[in-house]
Amino acid sequence: MPSAHYQPLELRADHDHNDDDDDVVDLIERLDAEQHERWTSETGVQSQSNGRIRYHPQLADELPSMGGGMAASRYGRAGNSGFRRFVYIMLILLPVCFLIYFVISPQSQDSEDADGDVDPHNGIGKRRHIKLSLTTTRLTTAHYHPFHATIIASKSTHGSIRSMMGHALNESLHICSESHEDRRLYIGDKPRSAYAQLPVIYFVTPTYPRREQIPELTRLAYTLLHVPRLHWLVANDREGCDTFLDAQINGFGIPYTHMASPMPSEFRKAKPAPRGVANRRAALQWLHQHNLTNGVLYFGDDDNTYDLRLFSEIRHTQRVSMFPVGLIAEYAISGPVVREGKVVAFLDSWVAGRRWPVDMAGFAVSLSYMAQYPNVNMPYKPGYEEDLFLRSIGLHIDQIEPRGNNCTEILVWHTQTKNKKSAVVRLENRYMDERSNLGALFRLLERMGVARASESEGLVATISKNGKSKSHAYFLS
Ligand code: UGA
Ligand code: MN
């Protein structure tokens, strides 16, 4: 699988200009169009013990540089004469159509002034020529309307978003509740107002119901409470809104949007499943819907560990900043290789042809930069989410801003929490009343998806005193 991306740096200066973006356009569009395509065992996806994904070499060949391999798979193998004839006809017809279009189209005479002037060739990884006025919009406190959290459960926002993005990234997004009010008086040792001029960090957290969900989000929230000018986008992978989670998030007092963004059902049973993708797509849609062109986007999973210095490091990202992530795969580290202040390569034990072999937590993107790429996307392709997302925003290696003292520090850790099924504890219903705390405790645990009490299932609850267990009736009746 030799490609320009594997040649020594000095040999590939010309190729760094994303010369294969057209193929990326094709690939990403095809991935979106073929969402329903089976890609588990048939496509050769294999699980890898360290939680990341591996593909059979055959598929890895197709994905990486997307040169000849992709062309072959997209247009069929050479020797298909009917297809070749079709291509010849199109080659003749297309220039004629373009000519007619440019002669009769009114915008062609005044394309500079047209609203939302878009490069007709724009697509994934292609840049939109946005007017300066858009990029200078600043989301200051004045634009930030404080309002109390409102539950807008089951209100689909998909229609309006589709029209803005050209394609909906998440078909089933529901905004559960949202608050732009920052109720913190002090952050660090300064009053909140001291930070008013900082760009906002949009911290996107995919999450999903399981017994560790509330503890993970609690830990994360207490980190985020130390971060000024942050909007927390919590996207939950489930149908409908979780009112308990809603109250929890609102209780922290930081600006947030809580949305329900379930993974499309056809991916649920896949092994591996595209984890957190529907959620991130929903958040991308929300950002587009709000036309945010100032601030920084960061994908912060609910189980990682974040050093507070990370937030200062990414805050002033111009285009895309990158930094090492600890505890990734075989090397326990993944991140850029930096020479003389420039990113020249990447260190990651799983390359698989990825141009950007980085973890989701290893980069941040400025919204003004991302706004220039209207076809930003994150396909449902396990293991390739970061790579294809970064390709969709036309990243060039020489544009990357290395952070964390030229990538010598570790400011984020890919910690993972052991997953266990929610517990069932055998306890008689008749004792679940106000005579003791147990009824209230188990009702809370059940709402959190941690555990539930049952009369007929689960391990019998052991209740003891002085090292001796006694019948439930002894303590509870
Ligand atoms: C690694 C990367 O760090 C993730 O960013 C990437 O999405 C993932 O691999 C992948 O490629 O599948 P890892 O720790 O292996 O992450 O995965 P999880 O932490 O289990 O899931 C990533 C995020 O998606 C988490 O925030 C999690 O809450 C969420 N998720 C997971 C869902 O929303 N739905 C699920 O069914 C599973
Ligand atoms: Mn994780």
Side-chain angles (χ1 to χ4, degrees):
M1 180 175 64
S3 93
H5 308 289
Y6 299 95
Q7 289 164 15
L9 195 71
E10 57 274 16
L11 295 182
R12 61 188 165 93
D14 289 338
H15 300 280
D16 275 348
H17 279 274
N18 297 351
D19 47 354
D20 51 5
D21 274 348
D22 287 338
D23 293 326
V24 179
V25 175
D26 293 342
L27 173 76
I28 296 178
E29 280 176 357
R30 194 192 63 175
L31 287 172
D32 251 20
E34 295 175 4
Q35 268 174 24
H36 302 270
E37 193 191 346
R38 286 166 298 148
W39 47 267
T40 49
S41 52
E42 290 89 337
T43 49
V45 184
Q46 285 182 330
S47 233
Q48 193 186 319
S49 57
N50 56 29
R52 292 203 68 88
I53 318 306
R54 273 199 195 288
Y55 287 78
H56 280 314
Q58 193 186 337
L59 182 68
D61 266 343
E62 187 183 22
L63 277 156
S65 59
M66 293 158 209
M70 276 310 292
S73 69
R74 184 155 186 254
Y75 296 117
R77 300 272 163 202
N80 181 343
S81 61
F83 182 71
R84 211 180 287 157
R85 200 173 309 136
F86 172 75
V87 171
Y88 289 146
I89 292 169
M90 289 311 284
L91 279 176
I92 296 162
L93 274 181
L94 271 178
V96 176
C97 291
F98 270 111
L99 198 70
I100 294 168
Y101 174 80
F102 281 112
V103 169
I104 63 170
S105 163
Q107 278 147 341
S108 65
Q109 275 114 45
D110 197 18
S111 64
E112 295 281 347
D113 298 333
D115 250 354
D117 178 24
V118 173
D119 179 342
H121 301 291
N122 85 39
I124 292 289
K126 297 283 174 178
R127 194 170 159 165
R128 169 160 63 177
H129 304 294
I130 293 188
K131 286 195 196 164
L132 265 180
S133 60
L134 248 188
T135 51
T136 52
T137 309
R138 204 137 201 256
L139 197 74
T140 62
T141 25
H143 294 90
Y144 233 36
H145 303 298
F147 62 89
H148 291 288
T150 42
I151 309 279
I152 331 167
S154 300
K155 189 183 171 213
S156 175
T157 44
H158 139 233
S160 55
I161 294 162
R162 178 185 283 281
S163 58
M164 291 187 62
M165 295 187 72
H167 64 292
L169 285 177
N170 188 307
E171 306 281 347
S172 52
L173 155 68
H174 295 287
I175 303 297
C176 300
S177 73
E178 190 164 61
S179 171
H180 293 269
E181 183 189 19
D182 198 332
R183 298 201 301 269
R184 296 171 291 180
L185 296 178
Y186 273 78
I187 301 157
D189 56 356
K190 296 196 192 87
R192 177 168 32 82
S193 56
Y195 304 99
Q197 297 312 312
L198 292 179
V200 173
I201 293 174
Y202 294 87
F203 192 94
V204 172
T205 300
T207 186
Y208 69 110
R210 80 275 196 201
R211 86 182 201 177
E212 298 80 15
Q213 182 176 37
I214 296 292
E216 299 281 30
L217 290 172
T218 302
R219 178 171 49 185
L220 176 53
Y222 280 101
T223 296
L224 300 183
L225 272 168
H226 296 284
V227 184
R229 298 282 288 164
L230 181 133
H231 190 100
W232 193 15
L233 290 149
V234 183
N236 202 0
D237 181 359
R238 58 164 262 172
E239 299 281 345
C241 299
D242 177 343
T243 51
F244 180 82
L245 183 58
D246 212 83
Q248 292 277 300
I249 298 169
N250 184 248
F252 291 113
I254 54 181
Y256 74 91
T257 299
H258 171 208
M259 54 186 103
S261 50
M263 184 187 295
S265 55
E266 63 266 35
F267 298 124
R268 277 250 178 257
K269 282 182 238 97
K271 284 210 172 17
R275 285 169 293 180
V277 177
N279 326 40
R280 297 189 196 100
R281 290 166 70 101
L284 287 172
Q285 234 170 245
W286 185 92
L287 292 169
H288 272 265
Q289 189 193 21
H290 289 75
N291 249 328
L292 295 170
T293 53
N294 189 260
V296 176
L297 162 66
Y298 181 74
F299 293 116
D301 289 354
D302 60 0
D303 55 344
N304 293 339
T305 304
Y306 306 93
D307 187 313
L308 292 181
R309 289 172 298 164
L310 173 75
F311 300 91
S312 326
E313 290 292 305
I314 63 174
R315 178 89 59 187
H316 296 286
T317 298
Q318 298 303 305
R319 292 185 180 101
V320 175
S321 56
M322 284 192 183
F323 31 85
V325 181
L327 296 181
I328 293 285
E330 309 298 334
Y331 306 153
I333 190 73
S334 161
V337 176
V338 180
R339 290 190 62 163
E340 291 168 1
K342 285 275 184 194
V343 173
V344 296
F346 297 89
L347 172 72
D348 188 296
S349 62
W350 188 65
V351 179
R354 293 183 299 162
R355 182 193 287 173
W356 311 116
V358 295
D359 185 70
M360 199 63 79
F363 62 89
V365 183
S366 97
L367 292 183
S368 65
Y369 174 74
M370 196 170 81
Q372 298 171 53
Y373 296 88
N375 289 323
V376 53
N377 204 343
M378 185 179 289
Y380 291 100
K381 200 78 186 171
Y384 290 85
E385 296 96 334
E386 300 89 346
D387 186 36
L388 295 174
F389 169 78
L390 290 169
R391 287 178 187 230
S392 82
I393 54 170
L395 183 62
H396 295 184
I397 195 165
D398 49 8
Q399 293 175 336
I400 300 171
E401 301 142 52
R403 289 290 146 91
N405 201 6
N406 275 329
C407 296
T408 58
E409 294 165 358
I410 303 163
L411 303 177
V412 53
W413 300 89
H414 185 249
T415 40
Q416 291 183 299
T417 304
K418 207 169 198 168
N419 271 47
K420 277 192 141 192
K421 272 195 182 156
S422 82
V424 184
V425 181
R426 202 145 164 176
L427 261 172
E428 295 87 329
N429 272 341
R430 63 178 183 277
Y431 299 135
M432 294 288 107
D433 58 17
E434 60 287 345
R435 278 174 296 177
S436 82
N437 64 316
L438 296 185
L441 183 62
F442 273 93
R443 279 189 290 280
L444 175 66
L445 289 167
E446 189 161 0
R447 290 200 73 187
M448 292 173 157
V450 176
R452 70 184 169 88
S454 162
E455 278 215 317
S456 53
E457 303 163 64
L459 283 175
V460 175
T462 302
I463 305 179
S464 67
K465 188 178 178 185
N466 291 334
K468 291 207 170 65
S469 60
K470 297 248 183 334
S471 73
H472 294 171
Y474 182 88
F475 295 111
L476 302 174
S477 64

